[in-house]
Amino acid sequence: MTLPKDKVRILIVDDEAVVRESLGNWFREEGYLVDVAGSGKETLQKLAESSYDLFLIDIKMPGMDGLQLQRRIREIAPDATIIIMTAYASVETAVEAMKQGAYDYIVKPFDPDQLEHVIRNAVERKQLVAENIRLRERLQEMELFHEIIGQSPAIRRVLEQIRLVAMSDTTVLIRGESGTGKELVARAIHANSPRRYMPIVIVNCGALAEGVIESELFGHEKGAFTGAHYRRKGKFELADGGTLFLDEIGDISLKTQVDLLRVLEEKKIFRVGGNTPISVDFRLIAATNKDLEALVAEGKFREDLYYRINVFSITIPPLRERREDIPLLAEHFLKKFARSMNKPVHGISTAAMALLQQYDWPGNVRELQNAIERAVLVCRGREIQPEDLPLYVNEARESAVGKTLAEVERQHIARILQETGWNISQAARLLGIDRVTLYNKIRKYQLKPDSPR
């Protein structure tokens, strides 16, 4: 659907008043929203206060010429659509401007039909680019959903909760240790929600200093504080229509908690240094690795905000509580990194897999991913071996110390067989080998249902 003309904001930049007025009047009569500027300096001032869909810039102006102005605009608005206006004598310069990123150029005097054609194409292109970006983000989010890997009852419960809450507009609180995949879950909820075609804006509250988070969330007006050279939208505004994900919400100060509670109740914000209320519409997903109930009891987290964000809670189990998912995750990361590094690594040896399953993974899925990435990088064969894994994984194998590789393999296979009730198919899958190979190893190690682990 083509963007209505009365939604398209055009800024005409020309040092000749007659050109600005005639072009401005023509575009206004056509139904566009038009603003004008007589110089590069005035353009930058207007850009600090407003945003535009299209810029029509004269190439020859005193002071800052069209090429210089184009570069300055791109520093502020990298995706700006710029059309150069030129006389016959400076077509070569206009072509040079296009090489630097201008969308098109029009030659004075203007042909109204050509002008309308160029503007319409520019608007359609801008829409297509925006739509492509959204679709690409959507595909990435769908891929992320598939990265929530596992068949353990715990992870199945998480996936079911995602499906249950995604289509609503309910506020969600995601709990879990660092590295368990809280952001993946937030993205999966957004990707399966009615807001999926709008942006998901992610804020790591723990990474922002107290003096910065207010400006990050609310934005600021030009001159609101030292260094505020331009008006800037905050995360609340950027998430309008979509989802705002506040990670590590347990780290925000009491003052920011008050500000956030007010936004959630009123659905309006004021930019820092601004007096005009701005309506915002977003779904909030928050996450924390802290005990919010304890923080409330200690007076470090507002009780009213706690109840406001804890409408629907999803708890992601640590990896050590779903060890049966480790082979699936490890194989997934192996394929991912082997492909990206273009290395012929096709599997993980039984002994190496045993070490992966014995280790406690305090850093959870993120730590496992990093370990596999490192292993693929250093692996010289077609299978990851114990020596390819990080040293700390090898050092953690207390029960394996002093044992041969065969003994470690025998112990691990025996444990998996007992944990699966000697279900050969399930045990083979968990071990990452086929049934025939497992039967061969059972015979080799003379394993029986009552064999000691």
Side-chain angles (χ1 to χ4, degrees):
M1 183 176 68
T2 304
L3 191 67
K5 291 181 178 178
D6 61 357
K7 299 293 183 184
V8 179
R9 292 179 58 83
I10 300 175
L11 180 62
I12 300 169
V13 187
D14 199 306
D15 60 316
E16 295 183 57
V18 63
V19 175
R20 297 195 303 270
E21 291 172 6
S22 60
L23 266 181
N25 289 335
W26 186 86
F27 280 119
R28 289 189 189 95
E29 289 176 2
E30 288 293 311
Y32 294 100
L33 294 173
V34 182
D35 201 355
V36 297
S39 66
K41 182 179 179 181
E42 187 181 357
T43 299
L44 296 177
Q45 289 172 342
K46 287 181 175 292
L47 189 54
E49 298 168 354
S50 301
S51 59
Y52 298 92
D53 298 298
L54 295 176
F55 295 82
L56 268 74
I57 302 175
D58 187 29
I59 200 86
K60 285 193 174 182
M61 293 185 292
M64 189 184 306
D65 66 22
L67 287 177
Q68 292 173 309
L69 179 58
Q70 179 177 241
R71 286 193 289 272
R72 293 294 302 276
I73 290 173
R74 293 215 174 279
E75 291 173 1
I76 301 167
D79 298 327
T81 299
I82 298 171
I83 297 171
I84 294 297
M85 299 185 292
T86 180
Y88 285 106
S90 55
V91 168
E92 291 182 357
T93 311
V95 172
E96 179 60 29
M98 291 186 66
K99 290 181 180 177
Q100 295 183 21
Y103 169 70
D104 206 344
Y105 68 91
I106 52 178
V107 179
K108 299 176 180 178
F110 305 119
D111 178 334
D113 291 337
Q114 182 197 12
L115 194 56
E116 170 65 17
H117 181 72
V118 170
I119 296 299
R120 187 172 61 248
N121 285 348
V123 171
E124 289 177 355
R125 173 186 171 276
K126 187 177 180 66
Q127 284 184 273
L128 283 174
V129 169
E131 185 63 23
N132 283 338
I133 291 173
R134 285 185 185 177
L135 287 172
R136 192 160 53 244
E137 291 174 346
R138 168 69 175 146
L139 287 173
Q140 289 172 347
E141 285 162 1
M142 292 176 70
E143 289 172 1
L144 286 167
F145 182 77
H146 293 303
E147 285 197 20
I148 303 176
I149 291 169
Q151 295 186 349
S152 63
I155 208 66
R156 286 182 180 176
R157 187 161 51 251
V158 169
L159 292 170
E160 181 57 33
Q161 288 178 305
I162 291 172
R163 294 188 184 95
L164 183 66
V165 77
M167 288 302 291
S168 71
D169 227 15
T170 301
T171 300
V172 180
L173 177 62
I174 305 171
R175 301 167 184 262
E177 296 179 4
S178 294
T180 49
K182 296 188 287 295
E183 184 178 322
L184 277 181
V185 170
R187 288 183 178 277
I189 293 171
H190 173 75
N192 290 274
S193 75
R195 295 174 179 269
R196 56 185 173 275
Y197 296 113
M198 300 304 285
I200 176 171
V201 176
I202 296 170
V203 182
N204 185 343
C205 301
L208 297 174
E210 176 58 28
V212 176
I213 193 168
E214 185 180 14
S215 174
E216 282 291 316
L217 291 176
F218 292 87
H220 60 252
E221 296 290 346
K222 178 184 176 184
F225 48 82
T226 303
H229 300 302
Y230 303 103
R231 188 178 69 180
R232 182 183 177 191
K233 290 183 178 180
K235 303 299 186 186
F236 287 125
E237 280 185 86
L238 294 174
D240 191 38
T243 300
L244 178 66
F245 175 51
L246 296 181
D247 199 4
E248 307 302 349
I249 196 170
D251 291 342
I252 62 175
S253 68
L254 287 170
K255 178 184 180 305
T256 304
Q257 292 174 33
V258 174
D259 295 338
L260 175 59
L261 187 62
R262 185 179 301 119
V263 174
L264 294 176
E265 291 175 348
E266 299 177 0
K267 294 291 183 182
K268 289 181 181 177
I269 64 161
F270 291 87
R271 294 194 190 109
V272 177
N275 297 313
T276 305
I278 300 170
S279 297
V280 287
D281 170 32
F282 59 85
R283 180 196 198 161
L284 178 67
I285 300 176
T288 183
N289 61 3
K290 293 189 174 178
D291 184 345
L292 287 189
E293 290 79 2
L295 292 179
V296 170
E298 295 170 8
K300 296 179 180 177
F301 201 87
R302 291 182 64 94
E303 188 174 19
D304 45 7
L305 179 59
Y306 167 74
Y307 286 117
R308 188 70 179 75
I309 63 174
N310 190 27
V311 180
F312 188 91
S313 179
I314 297 176
T315 300
I316 308 175
L319 194 52
R320 62 181 174 278
E321 293 181 8
R322 55 181 186 109
R323 292 181 187 274
E324 61 267 50
D325 289 335
I326 290 176
L328 289 174
L329 285 161
E331 292 288 350
H332 168 76
F333 293 136
L334 167 68
K335 291 177 183 174
K336 173 182 174 181
F337 292 118
R339 185 168 56 244
S340 66
M341 296 181 195
N342 195 27
K343 293 196 67 173
V345 183
H346 300 295
I348 301 172
S349 72
T350 304
M353 188 64 82
L355 291 175
L356 293 174
Q357 288 194 282
Q358 289 168 7
Y359 183 60
D360 265 354
W361 300 108
N364 292 293
V365 179
R366 186 184 299 130
E367 185 185 11
L368 173 62
Q369 175 175 306
N370 294 342
I372 299 299
E373 181 178 4
R374 187 245 186 217
V376 172
L377 181 66
V378 302
C379 181
R380 295 184 176 180
R382 298 173 68 84
E383 274 194 338
I384 290 176
Q385 301 298 330
E387 59 269 25
D388 299 324
L389 298 174
L391 185 61
Y392 55 80
V393 175
N394 281 276
E395 290 178 339
R397 50 173 178 166
E398 296 178 4
S399 62
V401 173
K403 296 182 179 178
T404 65
L405 191 60
E407 289 172 331
V408 172
E409 186 178 63
R410 181 190 183 284
Q411 183 183 41
H412 179 62
I413 292 174
R415 185 167 68 84
I416 294 297
L417 285 168
Q418 289 192 18
E419 288 180 355
T420 58
W422 274 74
N423 183 319
I424 299 299
S425 297
Q426 187 180 1
R429 181 178 56 75
L430 290 175
L431 290 166
I433 57 180
D434 57 47
R435 288 165 53 91
V436 174
T437 303
L438 179 54
Y439 276 122
N440 289 336
K441 289 184 180 296
I442 289 172
R443 279 195 294 273
K444 174 183 175 182
Y445 295 125
Q446 299 180 342
L447 292 171
K448 298 177 182 177
D450 57 352
S451 296
R453 282 194 283 177

